[in-house]
Amino acid sequence: MDPRAPADDPAAGDATAGDATAGDPAAGDTTAGDPTAGDPTAGDATAGDPAAGDATAGDPTAGDATAGDPAAGDATAGDPAAGDATAGDPAGDPVSGCGPLLFLQALQRLWSTRQLRQLQEEAWRGFAALADPLAGLLDMLDGSRGWRGRGPSLEAWVARELKRWLQARPHPGPPQGGPGLRQLQARAVKILVESPPALVEPLVSIFQLQDADRSPLLAHVHRLRQEGRFKEAVVLSTKLRLQPHLDVEEMSTPLLLQDKLGLVERYVDGFPGLQRRLLSLLDSWCRPGFDVHVVARRHPQAAWRPDRLSPRVLSRQVLRLRERFGLDPALCPHVVTQQRLASLRYLCYKRLVEGLVGQNEWLQEQLLQLLASHDDAAVVAQCALDLSLPEGRLPATVVTELSRLRLQGSAAEAPSEGRTDDCYQLPIAREDIRFLASWEDLARHEAELLQPGQVVSVDLEWRPSFGVGGRPQASLMQVAVEGRVFLLDLPQLLSPARGQEPQAFSQLVSRLLADPSITKLGYGMAGDLRSLGASCPALAQAQKQLRGSLDLLQVHKQLRVVDAPAPGVDGAAGPRGLSLLVQQVLGKPLDKTQQLSNWDRRPLGEEQLVYAAADAYCLLEVYWALCREPARFHLSGDLGRSLRPGRSEKPPLPQQALAYPQQVLEVKEAAPEVQARAFRVVCDSMLQGLARRLRCLGVDVLVLGTGEDHRRAAEVARQEGRIVLTSGLPYHKLNSCTCPQLQAQLGAGRCLAVDCSLKAQQQAKAVIRHFNVRVTQDDIFSRCQACNCDQYLKVSKDMMKQLVRLSGHREGPGRTGEEAAQSEDELETGSAPEEPPGPCTYDPPCRWLEEADLQTRVPATLGSGAQLQLSGVPAGVLRRPGLRHFYCCTGCGKVFWEGSHLRRVAANFRDILQMAPGIPEPSQALGPAGSPS
């Protein structure tokens, strides 16, 4: 079962090669002796003489005559005598001296018997023996039809191997632009327009089709679009560099609707004009009143994603692309306007609503009456949420809108600004804050800044831009050491008018960052260093230079303080980020009143200087406090072990903890072991990838639907005894002291925050380790990854063939080109045959499918009401030798079969798998996407 490869997996076996003689070792000899056997062009196409086949089949010297040099083929084989000794024996050397079609037939025998290493050796020997390998490949493709199917084919594998062989041992071919190459290109283009995706890339590379006649290629791209194969059209156009000859809007719109922006980015990469047009197109989708449904109706073949095309999501993508391509903000006026409007609303809220109204009930009511007079329920609901107003004082329309906002988690939560006396106070004298604006200033304090073995904290400030205009230029760099803070004036130190000062500054900072003996502290260091690189190009690689650093943001994500104030959620204002960390560790939050001030202004105000110094120095005090009492904050071991020696973005975490703030359990002893199939979790809708990986390991995973919030997760967890897996704001809400009823529902340690910056596979491993889940080989694929059902029906291959025929499909029709292209990230089509499964086999105790289990024959429907998903079973799977069973999920009807995916999963999770005695550990077996090494 490729529970592997769901039924739409292209990793079918080798049956699609299309050669009825694949299983007969003598088939090649019969054809070789008779040019008319199998293919009438076998002898003529290569030798020009019908007798050529007979001569090569029986004459040991035939290989030499064909190669043109008696030693040519032998030398590449590694043994000068090898060709002569075995030429008369098809089993010894079936390749040397053959014409292209006989060469292909000889390889077919090895392909069908899965002798992969010998297959590659014989292929490379045969390439060297062919007089013209490029023309030979075209002859093979013209004379065979096996590659025209959707499954893996020997011909596609040979094309990829020829590409590798040419790269390793360049073969003199026709000169670029010469008539010989143009003739080969014309033939290759004719084959290309019928090729499956797996054959396209090697043909483009081998025959330099980027330089071929564009007319037939453009016609083929247009035909792909008309057939709804939008991804194939874009991928092919990118490989052939056809972008300037195509309309970027027509090519990209269907993919944008399908949430495939990454493909479109690669399509316009290297073409500034197309990048500008793409940015303008996306910005036009963000204009007020735009209805994306109108665009979707013009492309009915594109299965579009409305949830990924909201103005908010599109605006973020536009700003990201503008920054990535370095384009003018004038190209996206609608997004810039919306960003500025959002910034204005935020500033009004900060200065007016939060600053003037506060918690005064009479003022709150007056404000709501004023807002309600404008009949804007959304604005009133937002303010009510921000101010924690009781719902009983609100109109029904506002209460409805308030519920929607809470479900969406879209409340604008901003830090509160308490009085200065209630905030963290800088513990050093004012004269110990040094403002450095010249190289002379830096030189005087260089020894203090670069003293080996010390601990320093680093922070940056910049003028607020609210997301408009790309990454901001840093205005001030703060470096704090014990007892002193240095404020580095970046506009002055980096001014080109200062001669060599910018270079001297960048060298000093590089030395500071690269010295592993100096512990560098930060909070969100990656963002700060990117801004520093944007201000000083010489420091663009600052992140890669960094050694001996500790990002307290990552430590904050591991930290748990019992009975400490939680982040403000559910409308409660409170400190966030570094201010929250300082409050949790040192007792008082930071005073953030100067955060949004103008940091480009010179001279800086006194309050700005003190704020900047405190922002950096508090990191030192937090670090010292955590080092003194790590157990108080439920941190495991010495913080020094988390120092980053190299380039990794995050400090290494203990195995028993994930990388999120409050995820270390209250009880520090190891959790009791639990079997994978007994472990039950509920995930929010943003963790679909994690859910699939856990189901893959046999874990019972329920995924919330879109719109179901953290309250629903807590309810399900209580009713069904599940662990809640979530992240971000929902996690904080579930663990907020303001929601004791939710905490009581869950119980201690039954809600885990997942690090969304990790890939799903790493997330799954972290969850398994955190809860001490025992996963064995038998647990893999014991659940359906699609629907979480753990009941399968076993179906014989003969019955599956019958069901496929009765369903109205041709036997194993394979998938459309678009569907095949969509799976290219997972499995490569047109691949080598699979190795025997070895220790990784799948034979669960499933009940056999009986006729009584089917309600009707057409379509095949189980008693549970689930229709068997037969349309995706590829042709090669139904004809694959050795495959006996299929497995049908009784919950959703998905069809699985055993294949290489089982071995890949076992290999990917081998570090957490509990292997039974006597069973070897899974290794990276050669899978469908592999090739002989």
Side-chain angles (χ1 to χ4, degrees):
M1 144 184 193
D2 209 345
R4 338 284 95 168
D8 58 353
D9 193 330
D14 45 28
T16 55
D19 189 351
T21 66
D24 183 2
D29 300 335
T30 304
T31 309
D34 181 6
T36 64
D39 185 354
T41 64
D44 298 335
T46 55
D49 182 356
D54 299 331
T56 55
D59 187 355
T61 65
D64 301 333
T66 306
D69 181 358
D74 303 331
T76 48
D79 182 2
D84 295 334
T86 61
D89 181 4
D93 185 4
V95 172
S96 298
C98 290
L101 288 176
L102 298 180
F103 169 34
L104 185 66
Q105 291 168 1
L107 292 179
Q108 178 65 55
R109 182 165 59 255
L110 297 175
W111 171 268
S112 62
T113 58
R114 304 182 180 182
Q115 301 176 41
L116 302 179
R117 187 173 296 279
Q118 186 180 354
L119 178 66
Q120 186 192 39
E121 292 172 356
E122 296 297 340
W124 283 41
R125 182 182 302 165
F127 296 149
L130 289 173
D132 187 347
L134 275 66
L137 175 63
L138 296 176
D139 290 339
M140 294 181 215
L141 297 174
D142 281 334
S144 171
R145 301 197 60 83
W147 57 270
R148 289 174 169 84
R150 291 296 178 188
S153 68
L154 172 62
E155 293 82 354
W157 180 87
V158 169
R160 289 197 303 277
E161 282 302 308
L162 178 58
K163 174 190 169 185
R164 292 178 57 198
W165 181 80
L166 291 171
Q167 291 170 342
R169 307 179 185 187
H171 184 277
Q176 187 169 1
L181 179 60
R182 286 199 295 270
Q183 291 175 3
L184 291 175
Q185 287 175 337
R187 292 181 62 191
V189 168
K190 292 179 181 178
I191 294 173
L192 180 78
V193 299
E194 301 179 48
S195 298
L199 193 53
V200 169
E201 196 279 331
L203 288 177
V204 171
S205 175
I206 293 170
F207 297 99
Q208 306 166 43
L209 295 186
Q210 300 93 333
D211 305 319
D213 180 14
R214 300 188 181 278
S215 299
L217 295 173
L218 290 170
H220 179 50
V221 169
H222 288 304
R223 184 163 56 253
L224 290 175
R225 289 192 67 258
Q226 291 170 357
E227 294 172 0
R229 297 156 67 181
F230 304 113
K231 180 176 179 179
E232 280 188 68
V234 164
V235 170
L236 180 60
S237 303
T238 304
K239 290 176 179 176
L240 295 172
R241 308 293 286 176
L242 297 175
Q243 297 96 316
H245 306 277
L246 297 164
D247 186 282
V248 66
E249 183 172 347
E250 289 183 358
M251 295 296 293
S252 61
T253 296
L255 294 179
L256 294 175
L257 291 171
Q258 294 173 324
D259 192 29
K260 298 184 184 297
L261 181 58
L263 267 180
V264 180
E265 286 184 57
R266 292 194 288 273
Y267 178 78
V268 301
D269 200 21
F271 296 92
L274 300 184
Q275 293 167 2
R276 289 192 290 270
R277 291 173 61 187
L278 173 62
L279 195 68
S280 297
L281 172 64
L282 287 173
D283 180 71
S284 70
W285 289 13
C286 298
R287 68 183 184 270
F290 175 78
D291 186 1
V292 72
H293 292 80
V294 176
V295 178
R297 282 194 290 270
R298 293 202 296 266
H299 299 84
Q301 294 170 297
W304 68 300
R305 298 276 306 275
D307 57 312
R308 303 296 299 163
L309 295 172
S310 67
R312 185 176 180 180
V313 173
L314 288 172
S315 296
R316 285 200 297 265
Q317 297 289 13
V318 168
L319 291 173
R320 182 182 62 81
L321 291 178
R322 195 210 67 75
E323 182 175 349
R324 179 191 167 188
F325 296 136
L327 300 177
D328 188 347
L331 292 169
C332 45
H334 299 106
V335 169
V336 170
T337 300
Q338 291 300 318
Q339 288 288 310
R340 288 173 175 163
L341 179 60
S343 302
L344 181 61
R345 287 172 175 164
Y346 175 72
L347 289 175
C348 289
Y349 167 78
K350 288 287 292 179
R351 301 306 183 198
L352 299 177
V353 177
E354 198 176 74
L356 296 178
V357 177
Q359 298 301 314
N360 186 300
E361 293 186 7
W362 186 83
L363 288 176
Q364 291 174 6
E365 189 167 355
Q366 295 301 310
L367 174 63
L368 290 177
Q369 289 178 5
L370 180 63
L371 291 172
S373 66
H374 294 281
D375 297 325
D376 193 335
V379 172
V380 177
Q382 184 70 69
C383 290
L385 192 60
D386 293 337
L387 297 170
S388 304
L389 296 178
E391 294 186 7
R393 297 166 54 190
L394 302 173
T397 55
V398 176
V399 172
T400 302
E401 185 67 20
L402 187 60
S403 300
R404 187 186 66 81
L405 286 176
R406 282 176 173 162
L407 285 175
Q408 292 180 348
S410 58
E413 298 159 4
S416 65
E417 298 176 3
R419 296 180 307 165
T420 303
D421 292 344
D422 297 328
C423 296
Y424 169 81
Q425 299 295 310
L426 191 63
I428 60 176
R430 173 63 180 83
E431 56 267 22
D432 290 322
I433 302 174
R434 304 296 175 86
F435 191 78
L436 311 182
S438 67
W439 173 245
E440 291 77 14
D441 294 338
L442 285 177
R444 280 196 299 272
H445 300 284
E446 180 177 355
E448 290 180 87
L449 290 166
L450 300 179
Q451 181 181 341
Q454 69 176 338
V455 179
V456 305
S457 59
V458 180
D459 192 26
L460 278 90
E461 305 293 343
W462 51 79
R463 181 178 180 177
S465 64
F466 302 104
V468 179
R471 185 167 296 281
Q473 301 279 313
S475 305
L476 192 71
M477 181 176 181
Q478 305 106 282
V479 181
V481 300
E482 185 174 4
R484 188 165 294 182
V485 180
F486 301 98
L487 307 180
L488 282 59
D489 186 6
L490 297 185
Q492 284 294 315
L493 293 171
L494 297 176
S495 172
R498 304 298 288 265
Q500 297 300 313
E501 283 193 8
Q503 181 180 357
F505 165 78
S506 63
Q507 290 174 350
L508 183 144
V509 174
S510 294
R511 289 168 60 193
L512 172 65
L513 297 177
D515 188 342
S517 74
I518 302 176
T519 299
K520 276 77 65 177
L521 305 175
Y523 192 90
M525 295 184 74
D528 282 349
L529 293 179
R530 283 194 294 269
S531 291
L532 183 61
S535 307
C536 178
L539 294 172
Q541 302 301 315
Q543 286 179 271
K544 296 182 179 180
Q545 299 173 6
L546 191 59
R547 297 292 185 274
S549 67
L550 178 63
D551 192 339
L552 290 177
L553 172 61
Q554 304 306 325
V555 176
H556 193 190
K557 291 178 177 180
Q558 301 176 54
L559 178 144
R560 182 173 181 83
V561 183
V562 180
D563 297 330
V569 292
D570 288 333
R576 299 290 191 280
L578 177 57
S579 181
L580 174 63
L581 176 63
V582 173
Q583 181 182 23
Q584 290 174 330
V585 177
L586 303 179
K588 292 184 178 182
L590 287 174
D591 179 6
K592 305 298 286 185
T593 54
Q594 295 298 317
Q595 183 179 27
L596 301 179
S597 60
N598 184 0
W599 292 98
D600 285 345
R601 182 181 62 189
R602 293 295 181 273
L604 291 172
E606 183 65 20
E607 290 183 343
Q608 288 179 299
L609 296 175
V610 174
Y611 168 88
D615 233 19
Y617 203 85
C618 70
L619 295 172
L620 292 175
E621 294 210 279
V622 167
Y623 174 74
W624 294 329
L626 295 178
C627 286
R628 284 193 303 268
E629 300 180 277
R632 174 188 164 200
F633 303 100
H634 293 263
L635 296 174
S636 56
D638 184 3
L639 280 184
R641 291 189 303 174
S642 293
L643 290 180
R644 186 176 78 172
R647 298 183 180 181
S648 60
E649 183 71 19
K650 298 176 182 176
L653 301 179
Q655 285 192 351
Q656 67 268 26
L658 285 167
Y660 248 78
Q662 297 80 0
Q663 59 203 18
V664 178
L665 296 176
E666 294 286 352
V667 181
K668 298 182 70 175
E669 290 79 11
E673 185 176 84
V674 58
Q675 299 297 320
R677 300 192 201 191
F679 185 52
R680 311 182 77 202
V681 302
V682 54
C683 293
D684 64 39
S685 59
M686 299 301 292
L687 297 175
Q688 301 273 358
L690 170 61
R692 286 193 296 271
R693 298 311 188 282
L694 289 176
R695 286 171 178 170
C696 187
L697 300 176
V699 176
D700 182 353
V701 184
L702 179 65
V703 181
L704 295 181
T706 304
E708 292 186 298
D709 68 352
H710 59 284
R711 295 178 180 83
R712 173 61 180 161
E715 181 184 352
V716 170
R718 179 183 60 80
Q719 292 175 347
E720 302 183 14
R722 296 178 182 269
I723 299 290
V724 177
L725 302 181
T726 184
S727 61
L729 184 61
Y731 175 83
H732 290 300
K733 288 182 176 181
L734 286 170
N735 286 271
S736 170
C737 294
T738 63
C739 300
Q741 68 277 15
L742 292 180
Q743 290 183 319
Q745 273 188 310
L746 286 175
R750 298 191 64 79
C751 178
L752 198 65
V754 177
D755 185 353
C756 288
S757 68
L758 297 178
K759 292 186 177 179
Q761 180 175 310
Q762 281 122 12
Q763 291 174 345
K765 289 182 179 180
V767 170
I768 294 298
R769 288 178 176 133
H770 183 84
F771 289 103
N772 197 15
V773 179
R774 178 182 174 85
V775 182
T776 67
Q777 181 86 33
D778 291 338
D779 293 318
I780 298 180
F781 298 120
S782 57
R783 283 189 176 274
C784 175
Q785 299 171 68
C787 73
N788 198 43
C789 177
D790 62 351
Q791 298 294 322
Y792 295 102
L793 286 174
K794 187 184 292 186
V795 184
S796 68
K797 184 194 292 187
D798 290 339
M799 177 173 271
M800 180 58 66
K801 288 181 179 179
Q802 182 181 4
L803 290 173
V804 169
R805 284 196 297 270
L806 290 173
S807 69
H809 300 282
R810 289 181 299 171
E811 186 172 301
R815 297 177 299 167
T816 65
E818 172 70 10
E819 290 169 325
Q822 287 176 357
S823 65
E824 284 179 342
D825 291 339
E826 265 181 55
L827 297 171
E828 180 182 346
T829 56
S831 55
E834 297 176 7
E835 291 182 329
C840 294
T841 58
Y842 188 84
D843 191 18
C846 302
R847 187 169 62 83
W848 283 94
L849 176 73
E850 303 290 346
E851 289 190 12
D853 293 314
L854 298 173
Q855 290 184 342
T856 59
R857 289 219 173 243
V858 182
T861 306
L862 299 176
S864 62
Q867 252 184 50
L868 292 184
Q869 301 181 30
L870 303 173
S871 60
V873 180
V877 171
L878 291 170
R879 300 197 300 271
R880 181 185 295 177
L883 182 64
R884 296 172 298 166
H885 307 140
F886 290 80
Y887 301 87
C888 302
C889 172
T890 60
C892 64
K894 210 164 186 65
V895 180
F896 303 92
W897 59 92
E898 185 174 353
S900 63
H901 193 32
L902 176 63
R903 297 194 302 281
R904 285 200 304 276
V905 169
N908 290 340
F909 288 99
R910 62 180 175 271
D911 50 337
I912 61 171
L913 274 182
Q914 302 286 332
M915 303 302 296
I919 297 181
E921 287 193 7
S923 60
Q924 280 288 13
L926 179 66
S931 55
S933 57

